Amino acid sequence: MTAPTPAGTPAPGTAPGTRDRRSRPRRSCLAVPGSNPRFLEKAQGLPADQVFLDLEDACAPLAKEGARHSIVDALNKGDWTGKIRVVRVNDWTTHWTYRDVITVVEGAGQNLDCVMLPKVQDAQQIVALDLLLTQIEKTMGFEVGRIGIEAQIENARGLVNVDAIAAASPRLETIVFGPADFMASINMKSLVVGEQPPGYGADAYHYILMRILMAARTHDLQAIDGPYLQIRNVDGYREVARRAAALGYDGKWVLHPGQIEASNEIFSPSQEDYDHAELILDAYEYHTSEAGGAKGSAMLGDEMIDEASRKMALVVSGKGRAAGMRRTTSFDRPEA
Ligand code: GLV
Ligand code: MG
Protein backbone atom coordinates (compact mmCIF):
# COMPACT_ATOMS: atom_id res chain seq x y z
CA MET A 1 0.00 0.00 0.00
CA THR A 2 1.32 3.48 -0.78
CA ALA A 3 1.84 5.91 2.11
CA PRO A 4 -1.05 8.31 2.65
CA THR A 5 -0.37 11.79 1.30
CA PRO A 6 -0.93 15.08 3.13
CA ALA A 7 -2.73 16.85 0.37
CA GLY A 8 -5.95 14.78 0.35
CA THR A 9 -7.72 12.99 -2.47
CA PRO A 10 -6.29 13.28 -5.99
CA ALA A 11 -8.31 15.16 -8.58
CA PRO A 12 -10.20 12.92 -11.04
CA GLY A 13 -8.06 12.01 -14.04
CA THR A 14 -4.79 12.67 -12.23
CA ALA A 15 -1.99 10.81 -14.03
CA PRO A 16 -0.13 8.07 -12.14
CA GLY A 17 2.85 9.52 -10.35
CA THR A 18 1.39 13.01 -10.16
CA ARG A 19 0.11 12.45 -6.67
CA ASP A 20 3.54 11.38 -5.43
CA ARG A 21 5.12 14.43 -7.02
CA ARG A 22 2.67 16.71 -5.32
CA SER A 23 3.28 15.18 -1.93
CA ARG A 24 7.06 15.56 -1.93
CA PRO A 25 8.01 17.57 1.17
CA ARG A 26 8.46 21.29 0.53
CA ARG A 27 8.78 22.53 4.09
CA SER A 28 11.68 24.83 3.18
CA CYS A 29 12.00 26.28 -0.35
CA LEU A 30 15.35 28.01 -0.74
CA ALA A 31 15.69 30.98 -3.09
CA VAL A 32 19.03 30.99 -4.96
CA PRO A 33 19.93 33.86 -7.32
CA GLY A 34 20.79 32.26 -10.67
CA SER A 35 23.42 34.91 -11.36
CA ASN A 36 25.53 34.07 -8.30
CA PRO A 37 27.80 31.01 -8.86
CA ARG A 38 28.86 31.00 -5.19
CA PHE A 39 25.25 30.69 -4.00
CA LEU A 40 24.50 28.06 -6.69
CA GLU A 41 27.35 26.00 -5.26
CA LYS A 42 26.56 26.60 -1.58
CA ALA A 43 22.84 25.79 -1.91
CA GLN A 44 23.66 22.20 -2.79
CA GLY A 45 24.93 21.49 0.72
CA LEU A 46 22.04 23.08 2.62
CA PRO A 47 19.22 21.02 4.19
CA ALA A 48 16.33 22.67 2.29
CA ASP A 49 13.61 20.40 0.85
CA GLN A 50 13.48 22.47 -2.33
CA VAL A 51 15.76 24.91 -4.11
CA PHE A 52 14.58 27.35 -6.71
CA LEU A 53 17.22 28.87 -8.94
CA ASP A 54 15.98 32.33 -9.75
CA LEU A 55 15.96 34.14 -13.07
CA GLU A 56 13.35 36.67 -11.93
CA ASP A 57 13.61 39.34 -9.24
CA ALA A 58 16.88 38.16 -7.65
CA CYS A 59 18.59 38.51 -11.03
CA ALA A 60 19.37 41.96 -12.50
CA PRO A 61 18.15 42.46 -16.11
CA LEU A 62 21.69 42.55 -17.50
CA ALA A 63 22.59 39.35 -15.65
CA LYS A 64 19.63 37.24 -16.82
CA GLU A 65 21.18 35.91 -20.02
CA GLY A 66 24.31 34.70 -18.24
CA ALA A 67 22.27 33.33 -15.36
CA ARG A 68 20.32 31.01 -17.69
CA HIS A 69 23.59 29.29 -18.59
CA SER A 70 24.89 29.24 -15.02
CA ILE A 71 21.65 27.54 -13.95
CA VAL A 72 21.88 24.91 -16.71
CA ASP A 73 25.43 24.18 -15.62
CA ALA A 74 24.55 24.02 -11.92
CA LEU A 75 21.63 21.66 -12.58
CA ASN A 76 23.66 19.33 -14.81
CA LYS A 77 26.89 19.27 -12.85
CA GLY A 78 25.82 19.93 -9.25
CA ASP A 79 24.75 17.43 -6.60
CA TRP A 80 21.15 18.21 -5.67
CA THR A 81 20.41 14.81 -4.11
CA GLY A 82 17.31 14.87 -1.91
CA LYS A 83 16.11 18.26 -3.12
CA ILE A 84 13.30 19.30 -5.44
CA ARG A 85 15.00 21.28 -8.23
CA VAL A 86 13.00 24.26 -9.48
CA VAL A 87 13.85 27.21 -11.73
CA ARG A 88 11.86 30.44 -11.49
CA VAL A 89 11.53 32.07 -14.91
CA ASN A 90 10.35 35.63 -15.60
CA ASP A 91 6.62 36.29 -15.92
CA TRP A 92 4.76 36.41 -19.24
CA THR A 93 4.47 40.23 -19.26
CA THR A 94 8.25 40.46 -19.84
CA HIS A 95 10.12 39.50 -23.02
CA TRP A 96 12.34 37.01 -21.16
CA THR A 97 9.95 34.14 -20.39
CA TYR A 98 10.12 32.00 -23.53
CA ARG A 99 13.89 32.12 -23.75
CA ASP A 100 14.24 31.39 -20.01
CA VAL A 101 12.13 28.27 -20.44
CA ILE A 102 13.72 27.09 -23.69
CA THR A 103 17.33 27.61 -22.56
CA VAL A 104 16.84 26.02 -19.15
CA VAL A 105 14.60 23.11 -20.12
CA GLU A 106 16.45 22.20 -23.33
CA GLY A 107 19.74 22.47 -21.47
CA ALA A 108 18.86 20.75 -18.20
CA GLY A 109 15.30 19.40 -18.48
CA GLN A 110 16.28 15.97 -17.24
CA ASN A 111 17.76 17.46 -14.09
CA LEU A 112 14.83 19.73 -13.32
CA ASP A 113 11.62 18.96 -11.41
CA CYS A 114 9.50 22.10 -11.83
CA VAL A 115 9.35 25.50 -13.47
CA MET A 116 8.03 28.26 -11.23
CA LEU A 117 5.98 30.95 -12.98
CA PRO A 118 5.74 34.27 -11.07
CA LYS A 119 2.93 36.85 -11.13
CA VAL A 120 0.39 34.45 -12.64
CA GLN A 121 -2.76 36.39 -13.49
CA ASP A 122 -4.99 33.89 -15.25
CA ALA A 123 -5.28 30.26 -16.34
CA GLN A 124 -4.08 30.97 -19.90
CA GLN A 125 -0.63 31.87 -18.59
CA ILE A 126 -0.33 28.38 -17.09
CA VAL A 127 -1.67 26.77 -20.27
CA ALA A 128 0.92 28.68 -22.33
CA LEU A 129 3.76 27.39 -20.13
CA ASP A 130 2.36 23.85 -20.24
CA LEU A 131 2.26 23.92 -24.07
CA LEU A 132 5.79 25.27 -24.33
CA LEU A 133 7.09 22.60 -21.93
CA THR A 134 5.35 19.87 -23.93
CA GLN A 135 6.96 21.05 -27.17
CA ILE A 136 10.41 21.12 -25.59
CA GLU A 137 9.93 17.67 -24.03
CA LYS A 138 8.86 16.23 -27.39
CA THR A 139 11.71 17.88 -29.27
CA MET A 140 14.30 16.74 -26.78
CA GLY A 141 12.89 13.21 -26.32
CA PHE A 142 12.13 13.84 -22.61
CA GLU A 143 9.17 12.18 -20.85
CA VAL A 144 6.17 14.37 -21.69
CA GLY A 145 4.49 15.88 -18.63
CA ARG A 146 7.19 15.04 -16.08
CA ILE A 147 8.25 18.62 -15.40
CA GLY A 148 5.82 20.27 -12.99
CA ILE A 149 4.67 23.87 -12.62
CA GLU A 150 4.59 26.06 -9.51
CA ALA A 151 2.30 29.12 -9.80
CA GLN A 152 2.98 32.26 -7.79
CA ILE A 153 -0.01 34.41 -6.85
CA GLU A 154 1.30 37.96 -6.47
CA ASN A 155 -1.45 40.39 -7.35
CA ALA A 156 -5.18 40.97 -7.03
CA ARG A 157 -5.95 39.60 -10.49
CA GLY A 158 -4.11 36.36 -9.77
CA LEU A 159 -5.97 35.94 -6.49
CA VAL A 160 -9.37 36.57 -8.05
CA ASN A 161 -8.56 33.93 -10.71
CA VAL A 162 -6.83 31.46 -8.41
CA ASP A 163 -9.42 28.67 -8.79
CA ALA A 164 -9.06 28.63 -12.57
CA ILE A 165 -5.28 28.92 -12.27
CA ALA A 166 -5.16 25.91 -9.91
CA ALA A 167 -7.21 23.86 -12.40
CA ALA A 168 -5.29 24.91 -15.52
CA SER A 169 -2.79 22.04 -15.94
CA PRO A 170 -2.05 18.56 -14.59
CA ARG A 171 1.55 19.75 -14.30
CA LEU A 172 0.69 22.06 -11.39
CA GLU A 173 2.19 21.01 -8.07
CA THR A 174 1.96 24.12 -5.89
CA ILE A 175 0.33 27.50 -5.51
CA VAL A 176 2.76 29.96 -3.92
CA PHE A 177 1.86 33.21 -2.15
CA GLY A 178 4.21 36.09 -3.14
CA PRO A 179 3.71 38.61 -0.32
CA ALA A 180 6.19 41.28 -1.49
CA ASP A 181 4.68 41.78 -4.93
CA PHE A 182 1.20 41.25 -3.53
CA MET A 183 1.56 43.98 -0.91
CA ALA A 184 2.77 46.36 -3.62
CA SER A 185 -0.05 45.36 -5.98
CA ILE A 186 -2.84 46.13 -3.50
CA ASN A 187 -1.16 49.23 -1.97
CA MET A 188 -0.85 47.65 1.46
CA LYS A 189 0.59 50.20 3.88
CA SER A 190 3.66 48.32 5.02
CA LEU A 191 7.19 47.95 3.74
CA VAL A 192 8.08 44.99 5.93
CA VAL A 193 7.23 41.93 3.88
CA GLY A 194 5.18 39.38 5.77
CA GLU A 195 4.62 41.64 8.79
CA GLN A 196 1.23 43.15 9.59
CA PRO A 197 0.61 46.71 8.36
CA PRO A 198 0.37 49.10 11.35
CA GLY A 199 -3.05 50.38 12.36
CA TYR A 200 -5.22 47.44 11.28
CA GLY A 201 -5.37 45.31 14.42
CA ALA A 202 -6.09 41.95 12.76
CA ASP A 203 -4.34 39.55 10.39
CA ALA A 204 -4.20 41.39 7.06
CA TYR A 205 -3.08 38.20 5.25
CA HIS A 206 -5.75 35.82 6.49
CA TYR A 207 -8.10 36.15 3.53
CA ILE A 208 -5.31 35.89 0.95
CA LEU A 209 -3.72 32.86 2.61
CA MET A 210 -7.06 31.06 2.98
CA ARG A 211 -8.15 31.89 -0.57
CA ILE A 212 -4.95 30.35 -1.97
CA LEU A 213 -5.20 27.37 0.38
CA MET A 214 -8.79 26.57 -0.67
CA ALA A 215 -7.87 26.67 -4.37
CA ALA A 216 -4.82 24.50 -3.77
CA ARG A 217 -6.68 21.90 -1.72
CA THR A 218 -9.58 21.78 -4.18
CA HIS A 219 -7.11 20.63 -6.82
CA ASP A 220 -4.88 18.53 -4.59
CA LEU A 221 -1.96 20.94 -4.82
CA GLN A 222 0.48 22.07 -2.17
CA ALA A 223 0.18 25.58 -0.74
CA ILE A 224 3.43 27.42 -0.05
CA ASP A 225 3.97 30.70 1.81
CA GLY A 226 6.46 33.16 0.31
CA PRO A 227 9.45 35.04 1.71
CA TYR A 228 10.15 36.89 4.96
CA LEU A 229 12.72 39.53 4.12
CA GLN A 230 14.07 40.43 7.58
CA ILE A 231 16.55 37.59 7.24
CA ARG A 232 18.33 38.20 10.54
CA ASN A 233 15.09 38.13 12.53
CA VAL A 234 14.59 34.38 12.89
CA ASP A 235 11.97 34.86 15.63
CA GLY A 236 9.93 37.03 13.27
CA TYR A 237 10.32 34.37 10.57
CA ARG A 238 9.13 31.69 12.98
CA GLU A 239 6.04 33.67 13.89
CA VAL A 240 5.00 34.23 10.28
CA ALA A 241 5.80 30.60 9.37
CA ARG A 242 3.71 29.32 12.29
CA ARG A 243 0.73 31.33 11.04
CA ALA A 244 0.90 29.62 7.64
CA ALA A 245 1.57 26.18 9.12
CA ALA A 246 -1.38 26.54 11.49
CA LEU A 247 -3.72 27.14 8.56
CA GLY A 248 -2.46 24.04 6.77
CA TYR A 249 0.27 25.36 4.46
CA ASP A 250 2.91 22.82 3.41
CA GLY A 251 6.00 25.03 3.55
CA LYS A 252 7.56 28.44 3.19
CA TRP A 253 10.33 30.12 1.28
CA VAL A 254 13.70 30.60 2.90
CA LEU A 255 16.03 33.38 1.74
CA HIS A 256 18.87 32.61 4.10
CA PRO A 257 20.39 29.40 5.50
CA GLY A 258 19.43 30.61 8.99
CA GLN A 259 15.73 30.22 8.17
CA ILE A 260 15.93 26.59 6.95
CA GLU A 261 15.97 24.80 10.29
CA ALA A 262 13.04 26.87 11.54
CA SER A 263 10.99 26.09 8.46
CA ASN A 264 11.73 22.36 8.50
CA GLU A 265 10.71 22.22 12.15
CA ILE A 266 7.57 24.34 11.90
CA PHE A 267 6.18 22.54 8.84
CA SER A 268 6.79 19.06 10.31
CA PRO A 269 4.44 17.65 12.94
CA SER A 270 5.82 17.51 16.48
CA GLN A 271 6.96 14.02 17.55
CA GLU A 272 4.01 13.88 19.96
CA ASP A 273 1.46 14.73 17.25
CA TYR A 274 3.08 12.31 14.82
CA ASP A 275 3.00 9.44 17.34
CA HIS A 276 -0.59 10.27 18.21
CA ALA A 277 -1.64 10.27 14.56
CA GLU A 278 -0.07 6.85 13.95
CA LEU A 279 -1.84 5.49 17.05
CA ILE A 280 -5.19 6.79 15.81
CA LEU A 281 -4.64 5.07 12.45
CA ASP A 282 -3.72 1.75 14.06
CA ALA A 283 -6.57 1.91 16.58
CA TYR A 284 -9.13 2.84 13.93
CA GLU A 285 -7.95 0.05 11.63
CA TYR A 286 -8.20 -2.47 14.46
CA HIS A 287 -11.62 -1.41 15.80
CA THR A 288 -13.23 -1.27 12.35
CA SER A 289 -11.88 -4.75 11.48
CA GLU A 290 -13.71 -7.99 12.20
CA ALA A 291 -11.28 -8.84 14.99
CA GLY A 292 -11.97 -5.48 16.63
CA GLY A 293 -15.78 -5.81 16.37
CA ALA A 294 -16.28 -3.89 13.06
CA LYS A 295 -17.23 -0.72 14.94
CA GLY A 296 -17.82 2.71 13.36
CA SER A 297 -16.23 4.55 16.25
CA ALA A 298 -14.06 3.50 19.16
CA MET A 299 -12.10 4.79 22.13
CA LEU A 300 -8.37 5.49 22.13
CA GLY A 301 -7.69 6.19 25.80
CA ASP A 302 -10.12 8.99 26.68
CA GLU A 303 -10.61 10.04 23.08
CA MET A 304 -13.39 8.93 20.76
CA ILE A 305 -12.15 8.29 17.22
CA ASP A 306 -14.11 7.80 14.01
CA GLU A 307 -13.67 8.17 10.24
CA ALA A 308 -13.15 11.94 10.54
CA SER A 309 -10.40 11.39 13.14
CA ARG A 310 -8.78 8.95 10.72
CA LYS A 311 -8.72 11.60 7.99
CA MET A 312 -7.15 14.18 10.32
CA ALA A 313 -4.58 11.61 11.45
CA LEU A 314 -3.75 10.77 7.83
CA VAL A 315 -2.73 14.38 7.19
CA VAL A 316 -0.36 14.50 10.16
CA SER A 317 1.05 11.02 9.58
CA GLY A 318 1.51 11.76 5.87
CA LYS A 319 3.55 14.86 6.65
CA GLY A 320 5.57 13.03 9.31
CA ARG A 321 6.31 10.06 7.04
CA ALA A 322 7.23 12.35 4.15
CA ALA A 323 9.65 14.15 6.48
CA GLY A 324 11.22 10.79 7.44
CA MET A 325 9.93 10.78 11.05
CA ARG A 326 9.92 7.53 13.06
CA ARG A 327 7.21 6.72 15.56
CA THR A 328 8.22 6.18 19.16
CA THR A 329 5.05 4.40 20.39
CA SER A 330 3.12 1.34 19.24
CA PHE A 331 -0.53 0.35 19.43
CA ASP A 332 -1.46 -2.39 21.90
CA ARG A 333 -4.52 -4.35 20.91
CA PRO A 334 -7.02 -4.53 23.79
CA GLU A 335 -7.24 -7.92 25.56
CA ALA A 336 -9.97 -10.09 23.98
C1 GLV B 1 7.91 36.76 -4.00
O1 GLV B 1 8.17 36.62 -5.16
C2 GLV B 1 7.23 37.90 -3.49
O2 GLV B 1 6.95 38.80 -4.29
O3 GLV B 1 6.94 37.92 -2.29
MG1 MG C 1 7.50 38.31 -6.33
Side-chain angles (χ1 to χ4, degrees):
M1 215 176 88
T2 51
T5 60
T9 317
T14 303
T18 307
R19 183 174 182 174
D20 294 339
R21 289 195 335 225
R22 289 173 179 172
S23 60
R24 292 182 287 202
R26 280 182 168 92
R27 298 165 303 173
S28 48
C29 307
L30 177 67
V32 186
S35 52
N36 188 322
R38 196 168 61 84
F39 286 178
L40 287 169
E41 178 74 33
K42 187 171 177 205
Q44 297 170 38
L46 296 173
D49 289 340
Q50 167 177 313
V51 287
F52 75 88
L53 314 184
D54 195 14
L55 285 170
E56 205 221 14
D57 287 353
C59 238
L62 289 177
K64 288 189 197 282
E65 167 73 31
R68 290 176 185 141
H69 299 286
S70 306
I71 285 177
V72 166
D73 239 43
L75 287 171
N76 289 338
K77 298 189 188 140
D79 179 1
W80 303 98
T81 310
K83 293 181 177 55
I84 303 177
R85 302 152 301 178
V86 180
V87 172
R88 180 167 72 163
V89 296
N90 289 277
D91 81 275
W92 280 123
T93 65
T94 70
H95 64 275
W96 290 302
T97 322
Y98 80 103
R99 227 178 250 294
D100 288 347
V101 178
I102 291 168
T103 304
V104 168
V105 180
E106 282 195 354
Q110 278 169 313
N111 294 315
L112 174 69
D113 298 303
C114 286
V115 172
M116 185 189 299
L117 187 63
K119 302 180 178 68
V120 180
Q121 305 200 44
D122 55 40
Q124 286 89 324
Q125 296 190 332
I126 298 293
V127 173
L129 177 58
D130 184 326
L131 290 171
L132 184 54
L133 287 171
T134 300
Q135 291 210 331
I136 298 170
E137 287 166 339
K138 284 183 177 164
T139 303
M140 300 301 292
F142 299 159
E143 181 187 339
V144 173
R146 191 193 61 79
I147 295 174
I149 296 178
E150 303 201 350
Q152 269 193 288
I153 299 298
E154 308 198 74
N155 52 44
R157 189 139 179 254
L159 191 67
V160 165
N161 290 327
V162 68
D163 292 327
I165 289 168
S169 164
R171 291 183 191 266
L172 276 163
E173 297 191 22
T174 68
I175 307 288
V176 183
F177 174 42
D181 277 300
F182 203 100
M183 289 164 76
S185 109
I186 63 168
N187 297 351
M188 193 182 270
K189 282 197 175 151
S190 171
L191 279 176
V192 188
V193 173
E195 290 289 352
Q196 302 298 328
Y200 180 57
D203 183 355
Y205 299 98
H206 184 74
Y207 169 73
I208 308 167
L209 288 171
M210 283 307 255
R211 190 70 199 80
I212 289 173
L213 185 63
M214 293 308 115
R217 291 292 180 257
T218 301
H219 298 282
D220 193 31
L221 306 178
Q222 292 192 349
I224 305 296
D225 193 16
Y228 183 77
L229 272 66
Q230 311 283 97
I231 56 172
R232 293 188 207 296
N233 181 2
V234 179
D235 288 341
Y237 179 88
R238 283 180 171 275
E239 201 178 314
V240 175
R242 274 198 207 100
R243 177 185 69 191
L247 293 178
Y249 271 64
D250 299 287
K252 181 168 173 63
W253 282 15
V254 292
L255 301 184
H256 187 268
Q259 297 175 330
I260 296 177
E261 196 190 314
S263 210
N264 286 346
E265 179 200 313
I266 288 167
F267 289 94
S268 301
S270 67
Q271 185 67 45
E272 194 186 341
D273 286 349
Y274 175 64
D275 284 340
H276 188 59
E278 294 290 6
L279 278 181
I280 290 176
L281 293 178
D282 285 351
Y284 186 76
E285 188 179 332
Y286 171 73
H287 287 294
T288 52
S289 71
E290 218 165 298
K295 300 184 198 111
S297 63
M299 294 303 286
L300 176 65
D302 290 339
E303 176 188 17
M304 197 179 103
I305 57 170
D306 63 7
E307 175 57 23
S309 328
R310 187 186 73 88
K311 288 199 180 102
M312 290 166 67
L314 270 178
V315 173
V316 176
S317 93
K319 287 196 179 195
R321 289 181 199 184
M325 294 177 79
R326 298 265 169 268
R327 60 190 296 180
T328 58
T329 53
S330 56
F331 174 65
D332 297 323
R333 287 177 172 215
E335 297 293 322

